[in-house]
Amino acid sequence: MKIPERNDADNILFHCRRQNPDDFPAFRSLIFDGESAVEIELPCSGRIGTGELMQGIAAGYRRVVVLSCGEKSCVHKFGCMEAKKAFNKAKALAETAGIDIKRFTFIEADDPELELK
Amino acid sequence: MNDEGKNILSDIPGACGFSNGAHGPNDSACPVTRYRSEFVPSRLIDEARSGWFPRGIRHCLGCELCSPGPGVSFPSCADDLVLEGGHREGYIPRAFGGALDAVWSLQIAGNSRQKRLDWITNDIQITNENESGKVALFVGCAPYYDALLADEIGFRATDESRAAVEMLNSVGVSPVVLPDEVCCGGDRIHAGDRDGFIALGTRNRDLLKERGVKTIVTTCDDCRYTLGNRYPGRIPGWDFKVIRLADYLVERGGRLAFMPTEQVVAIQPPDRYSDPNSVESIRKILTKIPNLITKELEPGLPSTFGSWGQFDAISKRLETDYLKAAECTLAESVLVPGTRMLVRLMEGRRPGSWEETSIKIKGFYGFLAEWHTVALEFTGA
């Protein structure tokens, strides 16, 4: 997957095709604080790799956000778990590289604490 | 083509010692040719002589097994060819799906302070951050391997670095360990990224000069190869002595002693890649461990599996061959003296996987540190 060069957008959002980011207006305003974001739709959030997340940071995006289905609601069964694994590896790598890990955000769509809808 | 319209590719083999009429590379020794019949070193040289970019030259591991003699190196020729024409292949090999490539980009940008010294504990001594020192330990990408793989393979690459500092301390050296060290750039060459390679090399050079370093010790043969063979001539002002830790320990001699163990271990016999100066340091050091039985793998296996960008089915088969050869020695464990090679083998045979091997894979320096004891005189000879 080629990560688009950062032009005007400040953030990059990878989302499962079953999750529409427009359904989460509050999430959008909370996470991005009104800033623009490049949206990349994935067939399943499990297809995201550590490489893509790290390349998002290397390309200069302020935040890298993954919007995934929940662990129990993923129709592909392991998509969310795979996405989390890649996400945690990217965070560990970024931390070693001296990057602020707050620049990474993972959202599980059916998280009961995520009362943003 | 250069500015004068001359084909540079055709000049590279001659400049690397493969001029017309000279001995070509020894194809029968190439471990890649065994599995990839289209990869024939002498034919690739002929293609380059004709001005073609030799397709598939990126599969060269850099193991030096095919190089015909001193001063003539096929991998060195392959490096030049990839840097000159690698872009023609239309793809860029990536390490871990681009994760490490991104890290290198961040390292080149240099905007953030890396956290790469977490493995240093109070019981080992390194030179303080604001002091200079003559000897540096080049840790390489080990902290990043920890972040990427430690949980899965049950092994921390920085354990080897830690063992290296312990062994250096035992011969009276507190090495400089750079907090901002960057990747050696070997994979950048493989990706044909000359600018990235030079940026990384220049940064390492500046950081090492700042600390007054004269000698660089490595635990990773691939880092040693890049720092010692690829930097000179490409990184201006690179005048450090680069030596692998085993050779350095033998060179320093004295004060190394080990507790007895009745283990049976396997090592790979030295070759031009792992032991360019024929020091045979690994054999010499292991003879100092009382009661240890050392067996050797059959010769002709590569001492490197190439860059991370070459991580494919063929390299996997090479790793399998290596481990099968190690198992054939009936040793309990195989000692691997290179960090990246060790991580590659561990990664391929992670605990619990269906490919789990019967032989234990251990880091050579970790093994030394395990059996090392504070001690008596050791002549090193």
Side-chain angles (χ1 to χ4, degrees):
Chain A
M1 186 193 310
K2 187 158 170 55
I3 302 299
E5 280 183 28
R6 186 188 165 192
N7 293 321
D8 298 328
D10 296 306
N11 307 290
I12 187 162
L13 167 70
F14 298 94
H15 68 92
C16 172
R17 66 185 297 271
R18 290 170 185 275
Q19 300 296 337
N20 183 356
D22 292 334
D23 292 345
F24 299 85
F27 142 79
R28 201 178 267 279
S29 60
L30 193 72
I31 300 294
F32 295 141
D33 197 19
E35 293 169 349
S36 56
V38 172
E39 291 176 12
I40 298 183
E41 185 183 282
L42 304 162
C44 168
S45 60
R47 298 306 297 268
I48 191 72
T50 310
E52 282 85 34
L53 297 169
M54 286 301 294
Q55 280 169 35
I57 291 289
Y61 290 101
R62 201 169 296 170
R63 277 173 196 274
V64 175
V65 181
V66 179
L67 173 60
S68 163
C69 303
E71 270 189 28
K72 287 176 185 166
S73 58
C74 173
V75 293
H76 306 299
K77 207 164 184 180
F78 301 114
C80 177
M81 279 185 254
E82 285 171 349
K84 270 188 191 166
K85 199 170 152 189
F87 181 82
N88 288 333
K89 274 190 186 179
K91 256 178 38 174
L93 261 187
E95 193 175 13
T96 311
I99 303 295
D100 182 3
I101 54 169
K102 287 179 188 157
R103 290 170 67 183
F104 290 89
T105 309
F106 191 93
I107 312 282
E108 260 183 82
D110 62 354
D111 184 350
E113 290 177 14
L114 186 75
E115 294 173 355
L116 300 169
K117 221 167 182 176
Chain B
M1 298 277 174
N2 63 9
D3 295 341
E4 296 159 2
K6 197 180 167 206
N7 195 319
I8 300 170
L9 288 178
S10 58
D11 294 340
I12 291 175
C16 295
F18 293 109
S19 49
N20 280 324
H23 277 296
N26 179 5
D27 298 335
S28 61
C30 175
V32 180
T33 310
R34 242 176 272 164
Y35 295 110
R36 213 181 272 282
S37 53
E38 75 279 13
F39 184 93
V40 184
S42 59
R43 192 179 73 187
L44 296 169
I45 290 283
D46 279 341
E47 284 180 5
R49 278 184 190 139
S50 314
W52 291 25
F53 177 72
R55 278 198 181 272
I57 199 159
R58 278 201 176 114
H59 296 304
C60 174
L61 301 176
C63 64
E64 298 278 9
L65 287 174
C66 72
S67 297
V72 186
S73 161
F74 181 74
S76 153
C77 185
D79 287 347
D80 286 342
L81 289 168
V82 169
L83 284 177
E84 200 53 54
H87 57 279
R88 298 186 195 183
E89 285 203 321
Y91 78 100
I92 299 172
R94 293 185 162 179
F96 290 100
L100 283 184
D101 302 71
V103 167
W104 301 326
S105 303
L106 292 166
Q107 287 179 342
I108 292 169
N111 297 328
S112 47
R113 176 93 172 163
Q114 298 179 67
K115 279 177 72 180
R116 50 181 298 131
L117 301 185
D118 290 355
W119 51 274
I120 293 175
T121 47
N122 292 334
D123 54 335
I124 53 174
Q125 290 173 343
I126 60 167
T127 304
N128 288 334
E129 209 175 304
N130 46 5
E131 289 174 13
S132 54
K134 294 261 184 288
V135 180
L137 175 70
F138 194 84
V139 177
C141 290
Y144 292 98
Y145 298 152
D146 282 3
L148 264 176
L149 298 167
D151 293 342
E152 287 172 26
I153 65 176
F155 164 77
R156 299 181 71 81
T158 49
D159 287 351
E160 279 293 277
S161 315
R162 209 180 162 287
V165 177
E166 205 175 318
M167 296 314 296
L168 283 168
N169 288 170
S170 71
V171 293
V173 175
S174 295
V176 169
V177 181
L178 297 172
D180 294 321
E181 180 191 294
V182 295
C183 166
C184 66
D187 277 43
R188 294 288 82 205
I189 284 206
H190 186 245
D193 177 8
R194 189 194 300 267
D195 295 342
F197 172 76
I198 289 175
L200 289 166
T202 308
R203 192 160 165 75
N204 275 326
R205 179 202 64 198
D206 294 346
L207 291 167
L208 290 160
K209 294 243 176 199
E210 244 172 54
R211 299 288 295 273
V213 171
K214 302 283 179 215
T215 302
I216 304 167
V217 179
T218 70
T219 55
C220 178
D221 279 347
D222 297 325
C223 290
R224 183 199 52 73
Y225 187 81
T226 300
L227 298 178
N229 294 29
R230 289 164 162 165
Y231 276 20
R234 291 194 179 101
I235 307 297
W238 183 263
D239 52 5
F240 303 95
K241 178 185 176 187
V242 182
I243 184 169
R244 75 169 168 170
L245 177 59
D247 297 355
Y248 186 77
L249 293 174
V250 168
E251 192 181 289
R252 292 278 299 193
R255 285 187 295 184
L256 262 189
F258 299 92
M259 292 181 287
T261 171
E262 292 184 355
Q263 288 187 47
V264 184
V265 295
I267 55 167
Q268 192 179 3
D271 58 28
R272 187 172 153 185
Y273 184 87
S274 63
D275 190 14
N277 301 321
S278 303
V279 183
E280 301 198 353
S281 50
I282 291 179
R283 284 178 179 156
K284 286 177 184 167
I285 292 174
L286 289 180
T287 58
K288 299 295 168 191
I289 303 182
N291 303 343
L292 180 79
I293 298 169
T294 307
K295 301 210 171 178
E296 293 197 2
L297 276 63
E298 61 183 70
L301 293 159
S303 295
T304 175
F305 297 130
S307 71
W308 286 108
Q310 285 167 299
F311 204 24
D312 61 7
I314 301 293
S315 71
K316 185 97 172 159
R317 287 167 78 175
L318 290 167
E319 290 167 20
T320 307
D321 278 357
Y322 186 95
L323 288 175
K324 278 186 179 162
E327 282 176 338
C328 286
T329 63
L330 302 179
E332 293 162 39
S333 45
V334 56
L335 304 183
V336 184
T339 311
R340 180 155 71 173
M341 195 166 180
L342 180 61
V343 172
R344 284 279 284 262
L345 290 171
M346 298 284 248
E347 206 281 332
R349 299 289 182 281
R350 58 187 68 178
S353 91
W354 62 274
E355 290 174 306
E356 196 175 351
T357 177
S358 64
I359 194 164
K360 287 180 198 151
I361 305 164
K362 287 186 178 174
F364 174 70
Y365 301 107
F367 183 80
L368 290 189
E370 193 182 337
W371 295 101
H372 167 251
T373 181
V374 180
L376 315 169
E377 282 301 304
F378 164 68
T379 61

